[in-house]
């Protein structure tokens, strides 16, 4: 059985074109070689990012710009980076922006932090003149209907490269959403209006494909699990988890068997994410499958294939966004407010993102799952302490998706020991006021809890995908 992992997932494809005004070359013979060296340095730095770089070369006039546009259009890029090495006219880059079908980022990186004013002549100054065409590009892009975004700095300016990297990571998220395959298995948890969503809105808002999967697709794969596969999964489980005394061996073996079946399901349908729920009755096979999902879903999520319960398609998408930003993203809802400590307690029963646990995650045996049919093992941990970001995908009255986010900090404190992923989050304000503001955002009652401060990255994702971003703070 071959299971796809993030290590072999599609990398973002970044188109790169550099240029300057060809009228300068005969006037200042040393200028073009210098600009080409700068372009070479940018190309080298771009290749250091975890992305595929398509270099369209150096352009000097509108005709060459049109040729670069065709090359980048054919490459199906996720982001186009235009390097303004010196002044260049808008006619050189507008075709690239219009024809590529991808968002465009313009970068202005002069050779060093400042010029040597006492010794520079006109040709040397022009190598620092990449800022000059930026307003022209912004005006032209506005008039032809192309969103404008830019990063200015110098070639070895790590702050500028950090901002460029942010756009490239956002392009990676855009790529996995555009090309992603999102599994939806089972049926809606009865009564959860906020979870219900029009499947067409996924490709309409993000791109990608929703694959409707039956629980019987899982059943037949679980039935075919071989003894060696089961033993390997049990060994993996005992290595990854601490097992509580309440874990029943038969329940553990069943969860491990379901986990192997889930691995095969994800591979066979080539899924990037999975949301599931099935109620079941009287201990029949579909109820047992639904109850046995927690272990396998947690292991999948830690491996970069977010899986969450309660048929929460939009939250599995939010978890995917967080994971591709390198921030984890664990299935989460509000649990309680601690007004004494000034924190909001949040998490969920069932699966969680094991890679961002504060400690070795615990597998706890439960005789009953609250609000759900079945019994078995559940995951218990606290997300890594420190800065965190809540990432949700909301849906408006007109059906449009939006990103909803808030930053806080996970702090230590007491936790319930009931098989839930619970974290104590300090938002720097009254927990009740924050809860009211968060609920008013339209996020729905589930989201991804991710490590780090992600608002800058989420703003970039918003800018590349066209999704509105609602930032919640009090």
């Amino acid at each position: 059985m071959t299971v796809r992992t993030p290590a072999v997932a599609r990398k973002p494809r970044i188109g790169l074109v550099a240029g300057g005004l060809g009228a300068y070359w005969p006037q200042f013979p040393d200028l073009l070689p210098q600009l080409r060296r700068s372009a070479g340095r940018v190309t080298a730095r771009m290749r250091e990012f975890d992305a595929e770089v398509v270099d369209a070369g150096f352009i000097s006039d509108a005709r060459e710009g049109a040729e670069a546009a065709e090359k980048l259009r054919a490459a199906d890029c996720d982001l186009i980076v235009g390097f303004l090495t010196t002044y260049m006219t808008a006619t050189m880059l507008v075709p690239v922006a219009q024809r590529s079908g991808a968002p465009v980022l313009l970068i202005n990186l002069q050779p060093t932090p400042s010029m040597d004013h006492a010794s520079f002549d006109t040709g040397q100054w022009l190598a620092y003149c990449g800022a000059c065409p930026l307003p022209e590009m912004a005006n032209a892009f506005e008039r032809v209907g192309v969103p404008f975004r830019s990063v200015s700095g110098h070639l070895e300016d790590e702050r500028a490269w950090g901002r460029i990297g942010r756009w490239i990571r956002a392009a990676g998220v855009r790529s996995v959403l555009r090309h992603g395959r999102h599994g939806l298995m089972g049926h809606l948890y009865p009564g959860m209006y906020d979870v219900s969503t029009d499947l067409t809105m996924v490709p309409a808002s993000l791109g990608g494909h929703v694959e409707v999967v039956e629980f019987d697709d899982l059943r037949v794969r679980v039935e075919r699990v071989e003894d060696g596969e089961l033993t390997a999964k049990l060994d993996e489980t005992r290595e990854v988890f601490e097992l509580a005394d309440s874990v029943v061996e038969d329940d553990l073996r069943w969860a491990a068997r379901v986990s192997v079946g889930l691995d095969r399901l994800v591979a066979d349908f080539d899924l990037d994410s999975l949301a599931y729920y099935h109620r079941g009755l009287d201990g029949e096979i579909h109820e047992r499958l639904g109850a046995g999902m927690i272990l396998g879903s947690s292991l999948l999520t830690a491996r970069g294939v977010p899986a969450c319960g309660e048929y929460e398609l939009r939250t599995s998408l939010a978890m995917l966004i967080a994971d591709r930003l390198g921030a984890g993203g664990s299935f989460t809802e509000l649990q309680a407010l601690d007004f004494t400590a000034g924190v909001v307690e949040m998490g969920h029963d069932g699966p969680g993102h094991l890679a961002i646990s504060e400690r070795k995650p615990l597998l706890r045996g439960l005789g009953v799952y609250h609000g759900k049919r079945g019994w078995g093992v559940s995951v218990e941990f606290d997300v890594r302490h420190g800065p965190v970001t809540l990432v949700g995908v909301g849906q408006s009255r007109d059906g449009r998706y939006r990103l909803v986010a808030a930053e806080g900090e996970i702090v230590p404190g007491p936790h319930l020991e009931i098989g839930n992923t619970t974290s104590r989050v300090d938002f720097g304000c009254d927990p009740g006021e924050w809860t009211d503001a968060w609920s008013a955002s339209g996020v729905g009652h589930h989201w991804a809890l991710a490590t780090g401060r992600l608002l800058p990255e989420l703003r970039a994702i918003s800018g590349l995908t066209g999704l509105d971003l609602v930032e919640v703070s009090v």
Side-chain angles (χ1 to χ4, degrees), residues 260-375:
V260 175
L262 272 174
D263 289 346
R264 187 169 292 153
L265 182 85
V266 165
D268 290 348
F269 286 95
D270 193 26
L271 300 180
D272 293 282
S273 68
L274 175 66
Y276 67 89
Y277 175 76
H278 188 85
R279 182 174 59 189
L281 289 170
D282 298 331
E284 50 83 39
I285 184 60
H286 298 95
E287 178 184 311
R288 293 294 292 130
L289 286 168
M293 294 278 290
I294 294 172
L295 171 64
S297 294
S298 297
L299 292 171
L300 279 172
T301 300
R303 207 170 68 227
V305 183
C308 67
E310 298 183 8
Y311 212 61
E312 244 298 13
L313 172 62
R314 296 198 314 276
T315 297
S316 64
L317 295 171
M319 292 165 64
L320 184 62
I321 290 170
D323 185 85
R324 291 307 187 267
L325 291 175
S330 197
F331 188 38
T332 305
E333 67 184 359
L334 293 173
Q335 292 181 327
L337 307 181
D338 187 336
F339 289 96
T340 303
V343 300
V344 178
E345 297 182 67
M346 60 180 67
H348 211 282
D349 63 306
H353 200 307
L354 308 177
I356 59 172
S357 176
E358 171 70 12
R359 55 179 173 81
K360 189 172 186 178
L362 178 75
L363 206 61
R364 186 178 295 280
L366 298 177
V368 62
Y369 293 151
H370 73 272
K372 301 181 181 69
R373 303 283 303 183
W375 66 94

Side-chain angles (χ1 to χ4, degrees), residues 234-266:
L234 287 168
D235 290 344
E236 178 187 2
T237 300
R238 292 189 172 97
E239 179 181 350
V240 171
F241 291 91
E242 176 185 348
L243 270 59
D245 293 339
S246 57
V247 172
V248 176
E249 181 66 20
D250 285 348
D251 292 344
L252 178 62
R253 293 180 66 84
W254 175 249
R257 182 176 294 275
V258 174
S259 179
V260 175
L262 272 174
D263 289 346
R264 187 169 292 153
L265 182 85
V266 165

Side-chain angles (χ1 to χ4, degrees), residues 14-38:
I14 309 300
L16 178 62
V17 58
L21 187 64
Y24 294 149
W25 313 153
Q27 295 177 327
F28 307 101
D30 294 333
L31 178 59
L32 181 57
Q34 180 180 2
L35 299 183
R36 286 188 179 278
R37 288 193 296 272
S38 292

Side-chain angles (χ1 to χ4, degrees), residues 161-240:
W161 281 108
R163 297 197 298 275
I164 293 168
R166 186 177 300 149
W167 286 110
I168 292 175
R169 288 190 294 276
V173 172
R174 178 178 182 269
S175 174
V176 76
L177 294 174
R178 286 179 67 218
H179 298 275
R181 292 175 53 83
H182 312 294
L184 192 59
M185 184 170 69
H187 61 80
L188 182 71
Y189 189 107
M192 288 186 180
Y193 279 168
D194 66 315
V195 170
S196 177
T197 188
D198 179 353
L199 303 191
T200 309
M201 292 312 300
V202 175
S205 298
L206 305 170
H209 167 75
V210 178
E211 182 73 16
V212 177
V213 184
E214 299 282 356
F215 255 78
D216 283 324
D217 291 317
L218 176 62
R219 174 183 59 80
V220 297
R221 288 164 174 80
V222 171
E223 289 172 350
R224 296 170 185 166
V225 172
E226 299 177 356
D227 290 344
E229 295 174 305
L230 177 60
T231 298
K233 184 62 68 172
L234 287 168
D235 290 344
E236 178 187 2
T237 300
R238 292 189 172 97
E239 179 181 350
V240 171

